[in-house]
């Protein structure tokens, strides 16, 4: 009931995005039902029905991605202060968001079923003079269990994806320097930013004061009780204190609280609990480039093979390995998108940047993790569309209605996902924009920075898309 109330009282823009999700779900559900109708009408050709069902996974993935993007930008399920006191914690908000997504996609699946039954003539007779009887198997009874199973794919996949993406995450303490927790030299656990070396004992001044008592402190702040410890263990304590990391208890000692006081060098270390590890957008860039290169290599190798497959709906037939190469290419572009966006923002700030380029580059680097992956997927779809248009033979078969519907679904969902991610990024930097306006920054400068960011992304991704599309279409032109 709470999900229904939040859905009903949402902003009109939010309602529009939910209706778009329902429309995408309706289109995908209709494609799945048409695949079932083709299987019913051609019981002697199971491989063709399986191939059509496999092609439906592409619009299904695009629809799920769009549903997740819409759920991320829903202001009704965004965590806010005070909601936990009334029982709306992060887990409850995640459940509400998944339920809202399930309702939107279920509405689309119901519309797809009604339209499918209308075309079969089950409700009001055969429309369009029976033009859809061939691929809808109107003369055969529709299996209810199979139809409901196919219609439940989109709501189940979308709601599970939303729950997985928006699940509550505990803030893990970030390791100094981004290193993983591991055993260091001499059994030291949890190495810091500066690795422990043999000269650490002398550099940190770990020398005992002669004639000092047990309660006397050394110059580096370590108690004199560690006088009998080995040199590495004694040097580890001031090193960890300087890095702001709590020393690990040894030999049954009481655990020590993290040192948050200023050290003698004038620095203010932060407790490990307050440091949250942020994702590095360029971490997946090598993997994306490697996957992209592997996909292009598979396509080039598959061009010399003789095993081909007939693609449905008037699509160009080609070797089986080309399909795998296209899939790897799309995955590579999706993985490399955030890293390429981050690099694009970094290039905007090179060679003595001014205020405009500095602002545009910083914002682009900050938003790279949010808009990079949808942008990479848009490039993958655009490259595939360009390759298919270049390979289309004017004298050959044209695209069928279901193929056109699937292409429009994939292109529309990817573009809508990119625009939704841009809206989410705009809402995320609303406080920064308001602060700049309070400081006197003109609105024309903010608009110019946005235009510069868009131009930089187009200048980087447009040639990349063209090159990938040309290389992807080359094996099929031989």
């Amino acid at each position: 009931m709470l999900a229904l109330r939040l859905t009903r009282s949402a902003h009109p823009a939010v309602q529009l995005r939910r209706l778009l999700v329902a429309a995408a779900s309706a289109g995908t559900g209709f494609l799945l039902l048409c695949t079932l109708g083709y299987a019913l009408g051609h019981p002697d050709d199971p491989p063709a029905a399986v191939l059509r069902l496999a092609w439906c996974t592409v619009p299904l993935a695009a629809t799920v991605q769009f549903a997740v993007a819409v759920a991320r930008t829903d202001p009704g399920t965004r965590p806010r202060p005070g909601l936990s006191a009334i029982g709306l914690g992060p887990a409850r908000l995640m459940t509400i968001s998944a339920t809202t997504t399930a309702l939107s996609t279920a509405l689309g699946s119901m519309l797809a079923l009604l339209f499918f039954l209308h075309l079969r003539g089950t409700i009001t007779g055969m429309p369009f003079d029976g033009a859809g009887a061939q691929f809808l198997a109107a003369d055969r009874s529709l299996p209810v269990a199979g139809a409901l199973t196919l219609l439940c794919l989109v709501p189940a996949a979308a709601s599970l994806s939303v729950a997985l993406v928006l699940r509550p995450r505990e803030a893990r303490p970030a390791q100094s320097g981004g290193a993983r927790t591991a055993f260091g030299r001499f059994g030291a656990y949890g190495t810091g930013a500066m690795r422990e070396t043999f000269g650490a004992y002398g550099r940190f001044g770990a020398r005992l004061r002669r004639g000092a008592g047990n309660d006397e402190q050394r110059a580096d702040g370590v108690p004199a009780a560690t006088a009998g410890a080995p040199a590495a263990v004694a040097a580890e304590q001031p090193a960890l204190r300087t890095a702001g990391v709590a020393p690990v208890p040894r030999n049954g000692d009481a655990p020590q609280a993290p040192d948050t006081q200023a050290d003698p060098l004038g620095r203010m270390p932060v407790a490990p609990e307050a440091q949250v590890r942020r994702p590095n957008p360029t971490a997946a860039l090598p993997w994306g480039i490697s996957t992209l290169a592997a996909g292009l290599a598979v396509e080039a190798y598959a061009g010399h093979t003789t095993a081909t497959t007939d693609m449905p709906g008037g699509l160009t037939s080609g070797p089986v390995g080309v399909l795998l190469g296209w899939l790897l290419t799309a995955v590579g572009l999706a993985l490399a998108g955030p890293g390429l966006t981050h690099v694009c923002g970094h290039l905007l700030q090179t060679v003595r940047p001014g205020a405009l380029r500095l602002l545009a580059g910083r914002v682009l680097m900050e938003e790279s993790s949010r808009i990079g992956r949808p942008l990479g997927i848009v490039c993958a779809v655009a490259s595939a569309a360009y390759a298919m248009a270049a390979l289309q033979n004017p004298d050959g078969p044209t695209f069928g209605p279901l193929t056109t519907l699937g292409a429009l679904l994939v292109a529309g969902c990817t573009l809508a996902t990119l625009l939704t991610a841009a809206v989410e990024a705009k809402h995320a930097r609303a406080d920064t924009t308001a602060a700049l306006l309070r400081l006197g920054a003109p609105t024309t400068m903010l608009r110019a920075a946005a235009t510069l960011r868009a131009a930089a992304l187009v200048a980087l991704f447009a040639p990349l898309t063209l090159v990938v599309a040309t290389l992807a279409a080359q094996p099929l032109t031989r």
Side-chain angles (χ1 to χ4, degrees), residues 44-63:
D44 55 342
D45 193 7
V50 173
L51 181 61
R52 290 174 179 268
L53 184 61
W55 274 106
C56 290
T57 58
V58 180
L60 175 63
T63 303

Side-chain angles (χ1 to χ4, degrees), residues 300-400:
Y301 177 77
H304 300 281
T305 60
T306 57
T308 60
T309 179
D310 295 330
M311 303 181 189
L315 296 176
T316 304
S317 300
V320 181
V322 174
L323 301 179
L324 178 60
W326 282 357
L327 179 61
L328 290 177
T329 301
V331 174
L333 287 174
L335 290 176
L340 293 176
T341 307
H342 191 274
V343 171
C344 184
H346 183 73
L347 292 177
L348 280 178
Q349 307 173 60
T350 57
V351 193
R352 304 177 64 180
L356 181 61
R357 286 199 293 139
L358 188 62
L359 177 62
R362 290 291 182 179
V363 172
L364 199 58
M365 291 174 64
E366 185 69 21
E367 297 175 354
S368 59
S369 299
R370 187 174 287 109
I371 67 174
R373 184 164 287 108
L375 187 57
I377 296 176
V378 168
C379 291
V381 173
S383 62
Y386 178 85
M388 296 307 300
L391 294 173
Q392 185 66 26
N393 188 3
D395 299 332
T398 58
F399 290 162

Side-chain angles (χ1 to χ4, degrees), residues 270-287:
V270 182
E273 291 78 9
Q275 300 176 359
V276 180
R277 181 182 301 174
R278 301 183 62 183
N280 186 9
T282 59
L285 182 58
W287 293 100

Side-chain angles (χ1 to χ4, degrees), residues 360-457:
R362 290 291 182 179
V363 172
L364 199 58
M365 291 174 64
E366 185 69 21
E367 297 175 354
S368 59
S369 299
R370 187 174 287 109
I371 67 174
R373 184 164 287 108
L375 187 57
I377 296 176
V378 168
C379 291
V381 173
S383 62
Y386 178 85
M388 296 307 300
L391 294 173
Q392 185 66 26
N393 188 3
D395 299 332
T398 58
F399 290 162
L402 298 182
T403 305
T404 304
L405 175 60
L408 291 177
L409 271 176
V410 173
C413 287
T414 51
L415 288 176
T417 302
L418 180 59
L419 294 178
T420 306
V423 172
E424 181 187 4
K426 182 180 179 181
H427 292 167
R429 65 172 186 270
D431 295 338
T432 303
T433 303
L436 290 175
L437 293 176
R438 287 194 303 267
L439 291 176
T443 56
T444 55
M445 181 180 179
L446 300 180
R447 296 172 183 172
T451 305
L452 183 59
R453 292 195 303 271
L457 291 177

Side-chain angles (χ1 to χ4, degrees), residues 236-316:
E236 180 187 3
Q237 304 297 329
L240 294 177
R241 291 179 184 273
T242 304
V245 181
V248 179
R250 299 179 184 275
N251 300 328
D253 295 340
Q256 302 179 12
D259 188 7
T260 57
Q261 301 297 328
D263 62 352
L265 299 179
R267 295 172 294 185
M268 182 66 70
V270 182
E273 291 78 9
Q275 300 176 359
V276 180
R277 181 182 301 174
R278 301 183 62 183
N280 186 9
T282 59
L285 182 58
W287 293 100
I289 295 177
S290 302
T291 307
L292 178 61
L296 295 176
V298 169
E299 293 176 13
Y301 177 77
H304 300 281
T305 60
T306 57
T308 60
T309 179
D310 295 330
M311 303 181 189
L315 296 176
T316 304

Side-chain angles (χ1 to χ4, degrees), residues 132-167:
Q134 180 180 1
F135 59 92
L136 297 182
D139 54 342
R140 296 178 180 269
S141 61
L142 184 68
V144 180
L148 294 181
T149 301
L150 292 177
L151 289 177
C152 290
L153 288 179
V154 179
S159 58
L160 288 178
S161 300
V162 169
L164 182 63
V165 172
L166 301 182
R167 70 187 186 277

